[in-house]
Amino acid sequence: MTTEQVEQVRRFNRTVAERVGVLHDRYLGGSRPYGQARLLWQIGDEGIHDIRGVRARLGLDSGYMSRLLRALERDGLVVVEPHPHDRRVRTVRLTEAGRKERALLDDRSDALAASLLDPLDARQRDRLTSAMAEVERLLTASVVSLEELDPDHPDAARCLRSYSAELQELFEGGFDPAHSLLPDPGELRAPRGLFLVARLHDEPVGCAGLKLPSGAPAEIKRLWVCPGARGLGLARRLLSELEERAARHGSDLVRLDTNKALETATRLYRDSGYTEVPAFNDEPYAHHWFEKRLTPGTP
């Protein structure tokens, strides 16, 4: 990144903070600062929520989260209590007063949004909202983390189940991982391989594995991104990360195979520098085979 890019981000942050009113101690003319208002909105007006999940979604440390909750509890807006089925888990829900204040917060937030758009003509409004959508997408992509996990880790297993379920719907004749050339995801465990899980707000949203056979090219397996996280460039990021790790491992060639139903994946591989080659295995679910030569500094 460049110094100019960093400065542009800082200018943008300052402008947004000033324009949406987060610098005031009473957000949107209400009775509480932005942090409390944002938490109130995040809790929502229906059901109970695991506090850990809410905290992860907002990226708050536990101490600050506790202080915000105590303030909302003191004002009678939320109830914090143990989960009915697991008393080790704390939950939070809005009271009737909390739901009313959240509704008021929604109304004032709508008015603020309208005040941002009102001075602009129709073309400028389209430009601003399109730019905001792009910024939102990129900022969301920037908070996705990648972690190497054992394939038996609950988050890894959850991704692999979702991967198999989606392919079962997409492939002609369905998909059974037991009939593939990777019936056991344990082959993606060190030292024979590795398995990456992508997380967004502490939720697993994607995965990818790398086989590292001795004396043979590295092979990418089980690359998947959940539908809700698509459009963030995550598949490309996972692919790039696996290439880099393969190169660090000493591989100068990486391979993968794919099914004809996965057209978006096939385009990604071609766009990422992969060349289609003759079949290098007898994977029953594959229709296309690709490889890419890795050079120092890949990707």
Side-chain angles (χ1 to χ4, degrees):
M1 70 189 74
T2 67
T3 301
E4 290 76 14
Q5 288 173 327
V6 171
E7 180 53 35
Q8 176 58 67
V9 170
R10 292 184 61 188
R11 285 198 304 270
F12 177 83
N13 290 345
R14 291 192 297 269
T15 299
V16 171
E18 293 164 5
R19 192 66 181 89
V20 302
V22 299
L23 301 179
H24 302 290
D25 59 355
R26 297 192 175 195
Y27 182 60
L28 295 179
S31 60
R32 60 194 70 258
Y34 178 79
Q36 293 179 24
R38 181 66 178 86
L39 177 57
L40 185 71
W41 188 89
Q42 188 63 42
I43 293 170
D45 57 1
E46 293 183 2
I48 61 175
H49 302 268
D50 182 341
I51 288 176
R52 290 175 301 184
V54 176
R55 181 167 67 84
R57 174 62 184 82
L58 296 177
L60 302 177
D61 67 67
S62 58
Y64 184 50
M65 179 74 167
S66 295
R67 291 194 295 275
L68 292 177
L69 284 173
R70 283 198 298 269
L72 297 179
E73 270 192 300
R74 185 177 60 246
D75 292 344
L77 303 181
V78 302
V79 173
V80 176
E81 57 195 358
H83 193 281
H85 304 302
D86 186 349
R87 298 188 65 82
R88 296 169 299 177
V89 176
R90 290 200 312 153
T91 66
V92 60
R93 59 179 173 83
L94 296 186
T95 63
E96 180 61 28
R99 286 190 289 272
K100 289 180 179 178
E101 182 156 335
R102 188 183 187 277
L104 179 61
L105 180 63
D106 270 334
D107 290 342
R108 291 179 174 176
S109 295
D110 286 345
L112 174 61
S115 75
L116 296 175
L117 296 170
D118 186 59
L120 307 178
D121 61 30
R123 181 171 173 274
Q124 289 174 318
R125 291 171 185 170
D126 287 341
R127 289 176 59 196
L128 178 59
T129 52
S130 295
M132 285 177 166
E134 178 71 358
V135 169
E136 180 186 13
R137 184 183 71 83
L138 293 173
L139 286 178
T140 300
S142 75
V143 298
V144 174
S145 63
L146 302 184
E147 182 179 0
E148 184 175 340
L149 295 178
D150 187 282
D152 287 335
H153 185 282
D155 286 349
R158 177 175 165 184
C159 287
L160 288 169
R161 287 194 301 270
S162 297
Y163 166 89
S164 296
E166 183 166 355
L167 297 194
Q168 171 68 22
E169 295 295 322
L170 289 175
F171 288 3
E172 295 178 6
F175 174 75
D176 183 350
H179 295 159
S180 76
L181 291 185
L182 186 67
D184 178 13
E187 293 183 39
L188 303 175
R189 180 184 294 119
R192 292 182 295 169
L194 61 91
F195 194 76
L196 298 179
V197 169
R199 287 197 181 96
L200 175 60
H201 306 309
D202 212 34
E203 287 291 314
V205 294
C207 65
L210 185 67
K211 293 177 68 176
L212 295 167
S214 177
E219 189 172 349
I220 291 172
K221 304 295 291 185
R222 304 299 191 251
L223 175 58
W224 174 81
V225 176
C226 79
R230 290 171 190 170
L232 301 177
L234 184 50
R236 189 179 299 273
R237 180 179 170 190
L238 284 164
L239 187 65
S240 178
E241 180 69 21
L242 291 183
E243 291 171 0
E244 183 177 338
R245 292 184 182 231
R248 291 205 305 262
H249 188 266
S251 299
D252 61 1
L253 186 70
V254 64
R255 289 174 168 174
L256 57 86
D257 57 67
T258 192
N259 186 279
K260 64 182 180 181
L262 303 178
E263 296 178 358
T264 301
T266 301
R267 285 196 298 273
L268 169 65
Y269 303 142
R270 295 186 192 280
D271 292 346
S272 299
Y274 284 78
T275 302
E276 189 159 6
V277 296
F280 51 76
N281 61 27
D282 57 355
E283 170 60 60
Y285 295 107
H287 298 100
H288 303 283
W289 290 259
F290 291 92
E291 66 180 28
K292 180 178 180 179
R293 184 68 57 180
L294 302 179
T295 57
T298 295

